[in-house]
Amino acid sequence: MTRHPATARCLATWTAAVVITLASAAAPAAAQPLPAPAAAASAVETPDSFFGFRIGTDRLLASADRIERYFEQVASHSPRVRLLELGATTEGHRTVAALVSSPRQLAELERIRTANQRLADPRRLAPAEAAALARTQPAIVAIGASIHATEIGGSQALTELLYRLATAEDPETVSTLDQTITIVIPILNPDGHRLVTDWYERQKGTAYEGGPMPWLYHRYAGHDINRDGFMMNLAESRNLSEFFYGQWHPQVFLTLHQMGTNGPRIFVPPNADPIDPNYDPLLWRTAGLLGGAMGFELQRDGRRGVLSNGIYDYYWPGYEDSAPLGHNTVCLLAEVASARVATPLTVTADELRGGQLGLPEYRPQINFPDPWPGGNWTLRDIVDYNLTAVNGLLKAVARYREPIVQNFYDMGRRAVAAGQAGTPVAFVIPPEQRDPLATTKLRTLLLQGHVEIHRATAAFSADGALFPAGSDIVLMAQPFRSYAKTLLERQRYPQLPGRPGPAERPYDVTGWTLPLQMGVDVRAIEHAFDTPPVSLLSPNPPSSITTLTTAAAPSATPSGRAANKTAAMASSPALASRD
């Protein structure tokens, strides 16, 4: 993703209603015979045949329109694939996603989706029932690519991944399909992808081939489309948020990016310090396990120059791949060295450099045991490294399916318990504010991130202060506690211990306290209080997006239930009362 430290990261929002449209044939009814995978495989066209060249060939790119058509073609011919749409982009383009699994599981897709949403909220599910579900529930893995449009190798690679998952008959692939539902999102920035491929084609054969465009590759955010993970300013962010938390809520999310040319060939997790201490420690342990599997597969395939525990941290929650951490999703980042878009380049041995966090010198060390020696570097290399890393991830998730699903539930349960026993117990947003529009924006972005907010319908006291009716209460006893807490509390960036000399330069943003940044009066409540009668706030679903299915409304927090029975979320304008 070429996350440059100096790049100012815009902050954005991810939509708060279900934004998914079926773009392929409906799921086969349970009573209907499903076509055999072997028959389907023969009907699915290879990427080479469809695009007219081998993916990753020098100076050739698959366009966004062609990638979307290929995903449609595979979905129409394979019983292992369903096509969904996340919603319209800023420029009105589609964002497609392929759900890939065994035909048996795709026939029960809605049951699996509903069960997964129940696992995401432990207040709906007793531990024994959750354990029974975890024994059979497939793990949901999302893989997205190219949110930074110039980092184009991931979008190209995912066409080959889709073909392999849709057609391969080897035991390992068949087992992976039985154990997982893989959501493949080939282009997270469809508007930018079109601009980049168009510019590249226009400049091919000139002195500007493979160079930067003279304009941004997103109308509003450019490179910083990936700095919008919690502010939800962009349609792309809102769509992804609703797709994840309102619909499919993956246990694992891998995002494919690219980095500079003269260092390691690929970064895979675990990430570098610092971490946000609000997140469940099991997220970091699972990222280490799955990232280790990715590195193992890369090394076994002879892919040299693999770095882990370096460069990239997950302290800031504003990336597309860090915001889900606060929703108990294991997030993984892969960064492959870039070419000049699709034009190859040569990196000599004396041009290779360290000088980065976790890699002070370009030489073998425990997190970088096999340096790449230099040479020619191509788009096909980027494709191959990505595919190998993804293969390692899917194998590991399939093998650890049950504990990954169980951990997803357990992390939500621990979040609720921490909100009941820890501090603060809540944040309160009083109705009288200096800037009502900023207050509305703050409330909306929290709701779009599926944070529960209750509106008091009567006055109440907390921490010795009297709050009027109309105050908004963010109780911490909720599954996404860490997400809400990290956005509303004040940050204190940690000095990394045991590092001699000056402090390490932070990779990215070190403070984002939204109440201070937005000028909104938000009070942290440290002690338990009697919750007043409340209504549960709900954002409106966007009218222009078709809804695949409506997620059940989450129940109120335990303390809220004790004082007031809150009802299902309403559609208009922001309030719903419970019986």
Side-chain angles (χ1 to χ4, degrees), residues 305-324:
V306 181
L307 173 72
S308 57
N309 290 102
I311 307 179
Y312 305 103
D313 67 65
Y314 266 158
Y315 182 70
W316 188 55
Y319 310 127
E320 101 276 25
D321 55 313
S322 61

Side-chain angles (χ1 to χ4, degrees), residues 285-299:
R285 293 299 187 187
T286 311
L289 171 71
L290 300 179
M294 295 162 68
F296 171 80
E297 194 76 7
L298 286 157
Q299 199 68 55

Side-chain angles (χ1 to χ4, degrees), residues 158-341:
L158 292 185
T159 62
E160 289 196 0
L161 174 68
L162 180 66
Y163 176 76
R164 181 178 69 79
L165 293 177
T167 62
E169 293 297 329
D170 62 281
E172 196 148 44
T173 299
V174 172
S175 174
T176 296
L177 294 168
D178 283 337
Q179 301 294 320
T180 65
I181 291 176
T182 301
I183 302 173
V184 184
I185 311 171
I187 310 173
L188 287 166
N189 181 2
D191 299 348
H193 192 286
R194 286 169 168 84
L195 291 170
V196 167
T197 54
D198 177 68
W199 177 256
Y200 181 80
E201 292 298 331
R202 287 165 54 188
Q203 303 307 317
K204 233 175 4 183
T206 75
Y208 305 105
E209 179 177 326
M213 297 185 300
W215 47 74
L216 297 176
Y217 59 66
H218 187 279
R219 180 192 291 182
Y220 300 120
H223 187 81
D224 285 348
I225 184 175
N226 189 35
R227 274 62 174 174
D228 192 43
F230 58 76
M231 285 300 288
M232 309 279 185
N233 291 309
L234 304 177
E236 293 83 355
S237 304
R238 297 190 293 270
N239 291 346
L240 188 63
S241 177
E242 184 55 38
F243 184 71
F244 275 6
Y245 318 132
Q247 285 292 304
W248 288 100
H249 211 136
Q251 281 86 45
V252 178
F253 176 39
L254 168 65
T255 181
L256 304 179
H257 285 255
Q258 289 172 215
M259 56 183 176
T261 61
N262 66 340
R265 295 301 90 189
I266 188 171
F267 165 84
V268 295
N271 290 52
D273 283 322
I275 61 172
D276 185 330
N278 285 318
Y279 301 144
D280 195 292
L282 201 51
L283 290 167
W284 310 121
R285 293 299 187 187
T286 311
L289 171 71
L290 300 179
M294 295 162 68
F296 171 80
E297 194 76 7
L298 286 157
Q299 199 68 55
R300 194 173 75 153
D301 272 7
R303 314 282 181 205
R304 304 185 68 180
V306 181
L307 173 72
S308 57
N309 290 102
I311 307 179
Y312 305 103
D313 67 65
Y314 266 158
Y315 182 70
W316 188 55
Y319 310 127
E320 101 276 25
D321 55 313
S322 61
L325 289 166
H327 300 79
N328 305 315
T329 293
V330 178
C331 293
L332 306 165
L333 167 68
E335 295 261 4
V336 186
S338 295
R340 297 180 63 235
V341 188

Side-chain angles (χ1 to χ4, degrees), residues 471-526:
S471 297
D472 291 336
I473 306 171
V474 183
L475 296 168
M476 289 290 96
Q478 58 177 293
F480 306 152
R481 167 187 179 269
S482 61
Y483 182 75
K485 185 171 181 284
T486 207
L487 293 185
L488 295 174
E489 71 181 1
R490 189 171 299 206
Q491 284 73 50
R492 292 172 176 81
Y493 189 77
Q495 171 63 49
L496 302 181
R499 304 275 174 87
E504 294 278 2
R505 179 178 178 177
Y507 182 75
D508 215 294
V509 177
T510 59
W512 52 87
T513 309
L514 292 187
L516 297 180
Q517 182 172 298
M518 302 177 73
V520 178
D521 179 18
V522 178
R523 316 280 182 87
I525 306 301
E526 301 296 328

Side-chain angles (χ1 to χ4, degrees), residues 356-566:
Q356 303 172 88
L357 180 63
L359 188 67
E361 299 178 30
Y362 193 86
R363 60 174 179 79
Q365 56 184 55
I366 190 64
N367 62 333
F368 187 62
D370 187 19
W372 183 66
N376 202 40
W377 189 250
T378 70
L379 178 60
R380 184 66 217 184
D381 290 321
I382 298 170
V383 169
D384 287 338
Y385 271 66
N386 274 320
L387 289 174
T388 299
V390 169
N391 289 345
L393 169 65
L394 293 179
K395 289 178 184 178
V397 173
R399 289 170 184 169
Y400 286 89
R401 177 201 58 77
E402 184 175 342
I404 285 173
V405 174
Q406 181 67 51
N407 292 345
F408 180 60
Y409 169 84
D410 289 342
M411 287 188 285
R413 190 161 57 91
R414 283 195 292 272
V416 172
Q420 292 169 328
T423 58
V425 298
F427 290 89
V428 175
I429 308 174
E432 293 298 322
Q433 296 283 341
R434 180 185 63 84
D435 187 341
L437 290 179
T439 306
T440 298
K441 170 63 177 175
L442 176 60
R443 181 188 305 116
T444 299
L445 71 86
L446 291 171
L447 291 169
Q448 289 171 330
H450 284 249
V451 172
E452 287 179 357
I453 305 178
H454 297 84
R455 178 157 297 172
T457 58
F460 66 99
S461 295
D463 276 4
L466 180 65
F467 294 96
S471 297
D472 291 336
I473 306 171
V474 183
L475 296 168
M476 289 290 96
Q478 58 177 293
F480 306 152
R481 167 187 179 269
S482 61
Y483 182 75
K485 185 171 181 284
T486 207
L487 293 185
L488 295 174
E489 71 181 1
R490 189 171 299 206
Q491 284 73 50
R492 292 172 176 81
Y493 189 77
Q495 171 63 49
L496 302 181
R499 304 275 174 87
E504 294 278 2
R505 179 178 178 177
Y507 182 75
D508 215 294
V509 177
T510 59
W512 52 87
T513 309
L514 292 187
L516 297 180
Q517 182 172 298
M518 302 177 73
V520 178
D521 179 18
V522 178
R523 316 280 182 87
I525 306 301
E526 301 296 328
H527 303 96
F529 63 100
D530 292 331
T531 309
V534 296
S535 294
L536 184 64
L537 302 192
S538 171
N540 288 320
S543 58
S544 60
I545 306 284
T546 22
T547 299
L548 172 62
T549 184
T550 302
S555 59
T557 58
S559 55
R561 285 199 303 270
N564 181 52
K565 294 181 179 179
T566 43

Side-chain angles (χ1 to χ4, degrees), residues 105-161:
Q105 291 191 147
L106 290 186
E108 300 182 358
L109 207 53
E110 182 57 20
R111 179 192 62 77
I112 291 169
R113 190 197 66 79
T114 302
N116 197 60
Q117 288 293 79
R118 294 177 69 207
L119 287 164
D121 188 346
R123 299 165 300 179
R124 303 180 187 181
L125 204 58
E129 191 178 358
L133 264 182
R135 284 193 286 272
T136 59
Q137 178 81 354
I140 299 179
V141 184
I143 303 170
S146 304
I147 194 167
H148 294 143
T150 52
E151 299 166 13
I152 207 159
S155 65
Q156 310 294 294
L158 292 185
T159 62
E160 289 196 0
L161 174 68

